[in-house]
Structure formats: structure tokens, C-alpha cells
Amino acid sequence: EGRAKNRRVELHKVSGGNEKAIITIDFIKPLPNSVLESKYSYNDSALNIQYTQPYSEKPELKEFKGDLEVRNYNIMNGSKVDNSISRKEIIKNYENVLELYNAKIVGLYGSTLYFEIKDRGDGVGVYGLISGYTGGYAVKFIVVL
């Protein structure tokens, strides 16, 4: 009697090693109805990250060097860019989601959100930004060498 109320789930690891997942630009999932407009990769490049309050104590602009990936998206409504989606909505969405992935937001300047991940899973730091536009956005992600 009462067993129907006593539910629990037990998980047992049956295979696999001790490998860690490495965070890449793909952890930033596109918004619904987003279409990848362009994708670029640059070796030995640089990315400026703007630190602002209230996310960072000291406002400053820092440059990070490494391998840079850039993705540009349009948000579509049928066959047209959906201009009803504002840059503010885009940034607010990612502001709420980034911290779920252990990304620390370090700045918000205009319609660009800046973040860092101290360890992507292999001891290497990554920095990035998401810039919102009306009907679209860009994601830039640099792996520090």
C-alpha cells in the first residue's frame, strides 16, 4: 500500500569514458525561424569584448586573440525577414539562456551582449558576443590561444 506514491528514478552509467564535452559555437542555439545567412572562420584573429556594469565591476574594453567563428542569422516569417522581432527581444532571449550554459555575461552595450566561458571543457577560455539587429543577429565566438 502506498507504493504508487513512492516513485524514483535511478541512473546507472553502463558505458563511456571520462571525456568532457568541449563547448563550441554550436552551444548557442539559433532562435526559432532563424536561417543561417553566413558562416566564417578565421585563424589567428581578434575579438573585442566590452565589460560593462552591472555585469562587471570595471567598465573596460579588452581584446582577445585566437580562432574566431562568426555566424549571421536572419529570422524569417515565410520567405521574408521578420522585422517585427526587435534587437532588444533577441538580446533578452540570449541574456536569459547564456547563464544556463555556464557562460558569464560580462557586458551589454547597445544591442550587443558579451560573454565569457573560463573553461570550455579542456582548460581553454572562450569569449563571445551576440549582436541583435531588427530581424536578425550575429554570433561571434573566439577560442583563446
Side-chain angles (χ1 to χ4, degrees):
E1 189 177 323
R3 287 190 313 187
K5 294 178 184 176
N6 184 15
R7 301 282 184 221
R8 81 173 156 243
V9 175
E10 292 184 15
L11 301 175
H12 299 275
K13 185 175 179 179
V14 293
S15 67
N18 293 327
E19 290 185 28
K20 292 182 179 180
I22 304 296
I23 294 174
T24 66
I25 194 170
D26 295 325
F27 95 94
I28 301 173
K29 301 297 180 204
L31 295 174
N33 301 319
S34 292
V35 174
L36 182 63
E37 187 66 26
S38 61
K39 178 179 175 179
Y40 304 100
S41 293
Y42 305 97
N43 293 331
D44 229 5
S45 193
L47 182 65
N48 290 324
I49 300 295
Q50 182 72 52
Y51 289 76
T52 65
Q53 293 178 338
Y55 303 103
S56 299
E57 289 181 24
K58 179 181 169 191
E60 61 183 313
L61 182 66
K62 290 184 180 179
E63 181 182 84
F64 294 95
K65 295 187 179 197
D67 294 333
L68 177 68
E69 290 190 54
V70 179
R71 297 205 178 151
N72 294 296
Y73 295 93
N74 284 331
I75 301 172
M76 305 301 287
N77 184 358
S79 62
K80 294 184 178 183
V81 173
D82 190 351
N83 290 321
S84 70
I85 307 293
S86 72
R87 50 184 125 191
K88 191 174 189 177
E89 288 176 270
I90 294 165
I91 295 304
K92 192 65 175 168
N93 175 78
Y94 283 112
E95 191 174 21
N96 293 329
V97 171
L98 281 173
E99 291 177 337
L100 297 174
Y101 293 99
N102 293 325
K104 179 183 175 196
I105 297 171
V106 296
L108 176 61
Y109 188 77
S111 57
T112 301
L113 186 65
Y114 299 88
F115 63 91
E116 67 181 18
I117 300 171
K118 292 289 187 185
D119 180 354
R120 69 175 184 160
D122 61 355
V124 175
V126 294
Y127 296 84
L129 63 83
I130 301 170
S131 294
Y133 311 106
T134 301
Y137 55 100
V139 178
K140 295 182 180 181
F141 190 85
I142 195 161
V143 178
V144 179
L145 300 176

